Amino acid sequence: MAIEDSAILSEQPTTPFHDVEHYLAIPRVSGLALSPDGKRLVTTVSTLNAKGTEYVTALWELDPAGEKHARRITRSAKGEAGAAFSSNGDLYFTSARPDPESPEGDPVNALWQLPADGGEARVVLSRAGGISHVMSARDTGATFVTASILAGSPDEEADDERRKSRKDHKVSAILHSGYPVRYWDANLGPDQPRIFAVEPGEEKEPGKPATVDAAAPLKLRNLTPDAAGLLRDSDSVVSPDGKTIYTSFNKPLAKADSRSVLVAIDVATATHKVLLDHEGMSYFAGPVSPDNRTLVVLSESDSTPQQAPQVKLHLLDVSSQMVPESGLRPLAHGWDRWAIKAAWLPDGSALLVTADDDGASPVFRISPAGIGFGAGSGDVTRVTRDAAAYTDVVVSPDGLSAYALRSSYEFPPEAVRVDLASGEVTRLPAPAERPRIQGSLERIGTAAADGSRVPAYLALPDGASAQHPAPLLLWIHGGPLGSWNAWTWRWNPWLLAAKGYAVLLPDPALSTGYGQSYIQRGWGGWGSAPYTDLMEITDAVMERPDIDPSRTAAMGGSFGGYMANWVAGQTDRFDAIVTHASLWALDQFGPTTDASQYWLKEMTAEMALANSPHLHVEKISTPMLVIHGDKDYRVPIGEGLRLWYELLSKSQLAADGNGQTPHRFLYYPDENHWILQPQHAKVWYGVVEHFLAKNVLDQDVPLPADLGL
């Protein structure tokens, strides 16, 4: 080996987690689409651009048999997403890359087609408002897209003109007449989503000589012209025969409330019929059975300050003219988990779903009694046995295998094949190798005061022992209806484990995967059971000889940030607290979040005050790092601004006569609830490491240079 080569190797980090630049460069896999013949599996891979400033997506083809290596099938600076196969094997996707046949046009998210028999992708439909989502009917050539129009536009031509006028006159104003007005990080309106059928258009110059691959242009037919804002944030599914689209409509109610009703859209007539509309219940469409007769329905009950929501599966007979409610049957209601609908087996004999379950999210098979209707409980069988989380489940045409993305805290999402008879899981040749992790992961638990089990994962750094105990970081998950059970790019414990910390990932009361009663025991009392559970599991871990109880910190984002704030006002046991996108004053948060109608069902005004961290600011004696993005509409920036001011003016570590304080505020003017830009993520981890090193380890780690400090 040459001396130069040896020097280069010596500069390589031990693992990608020992250098945040290498961590950010790990390719990220998402989404799966399977061709109708089961021979092609397509996923989306995100990689850093050359400048390291943003992620660019590309489509990759995987071999379902696991024999051939993965291969990239698209490449562009703008990236591609939303892969969907048509019944003839053509692959549709969306991309904003320039159209080679119209290079002078403004780039928009257009509909592209990659022919089944090979060749280059081409634009088949482009419009000023772009295309957001593609759907195809399994058994026919019917293709549908979701796209947005300006509310006052009667047709596509008028929509183009209105958009051009707003752009030319630099108008961004939006006039609202309903609620909500924004969602996560998006301002709602004046665009409104619609569902369109993609159909053949007319040739501009019929009979004019052209190459054999020339095709007539496509046009859109609006299937939901009167939907207004009812399709915002809705999931839609297409029947295999392409005749019906099932979707939820966001129905407005009195006093700015809303709920989701289930609707069937007749493709031929572009009319819709409300199938399920019950007070206190929202309905969402799942997959349609292969014979087009049975629709999976997911219901979610409205929460109240006293009762947590309940999520249930149902089967709806959509084959007859009967009153819809009479065809609705419960599915597996005796199973105490919140299922995520996935896919039917090709013969309609069973349904595959995923659900959070004790620190994992396995694939389950539900076999309804009879042909979709019967006693209603269903037979639930766990298919996958490992402690991993599965998403994006698709089924092979022969019904013998399923394909999914699998992840855990030991590896990021990767495509796998699942043998549905044995449950055996095979990893498919991937676009990138698994990143190597240094350290170990343990599943642990303790008992709460009421006897409930409090489970957790513990990520230990390499070398942690009684002779070299590791400092402890308590990480509190968001939600709060969620679980630490899958790989996360935003809160990755191995980056901190590489710095020598042990990272504790508990699932306290309110967490999913442990039954309805586990959620209910924390409902309406965020500062009670969830807090005491966190302290119980922290106490248990601190008794371990490989953990140093004298060096600890607590961290969390969103609800986890709320809990970090609550912890700060209840105990001084931690050396530092990091609170990201956090709720601070619950009386202020409720009316200003993007979904006030949901929040105000969760707690009464009295309950909100009883659980509000801001009332305990005078007791805070722990240095806090506050992190917030200005574009965060779920937890508005006002929470972070008020927290910061009150820490500096009222806490026990308030600013002194020289304006000095150990508290810090990392503010992002152009980020939202999450830190999405790669270089901002690098700054995030750098500032967190600096703050923890200073307050937990009594070490001086430099701040990121890009802060300019």
Side-chain angles (χ1 to χ4, degrees), residues 475-523:
W475 280 19
I476 310 166
H477 71 64
L481 301 175
S483 171
W484 287 121
N485 62 17
W487 184 271
T488 170
W489 295 107
R490 293 191 298 270
W491 286 73
N492 194 289
W494 299 111
L495 284 162
L496 275 301
K499 303 299 181 184
Y501 296 95
V503 182
L504 176 62
L505 305 160
D507 278 348
L510 291 173
S511 299
T512 53
Y514 308 95
Q516 190 72 25
S517 62
Y518 198 75
I519 296 170
Q520 187 62 45
R521 61 187 286 267
W523 195 256

Side-chain angles (χ1 to χ4, degrees), residues 336-357:
D336 195 13
R337 292 295 182 268
W338 286 9
I340 298 173
K341 51 202 184 299
W344 286 90
L345 296 189
D347 62 0
S349 63
L351 183 73
L352 297 184
V353 302
T354 61
D356 289 351
D357 185 63

Side-chain angles (χ1 to χ4, degrees), residues 39 171 209 370 380 414 429 433 672:
K39 296 180 180 180
V171 174
V380 181
E414 59 188 22
E433 292 301 317
N672 56 39

Side-chain angles (χ1 to χ4, degrees), residues 257 300 303 309 481 523 595-603:
D257 198 2
E300 180 176 346
S303 62
L481 301 175
W523 195 256
S596 297
Q597 79 281 14
Y598 181 87
W599 169 256
L600 297 176
K601 294 175 186 176
E602 190 158 334
M603 289 188 186

Side-chain angles (χ1 to χ4, degrees), residues 165-187:
S165 177
R166 282 178 64 87
K167 179 180 179 180
D168 291 347
H169 293 95
K170 301 185 183 301
V171 174
S172 60
I174 303 169
L175 178 63
H176 291 283
S177 60
Y179 187 85
V181 300
R182 55 188 192 172
Y183 189 68
W184 286 115
D185 63 349
N187 293 306

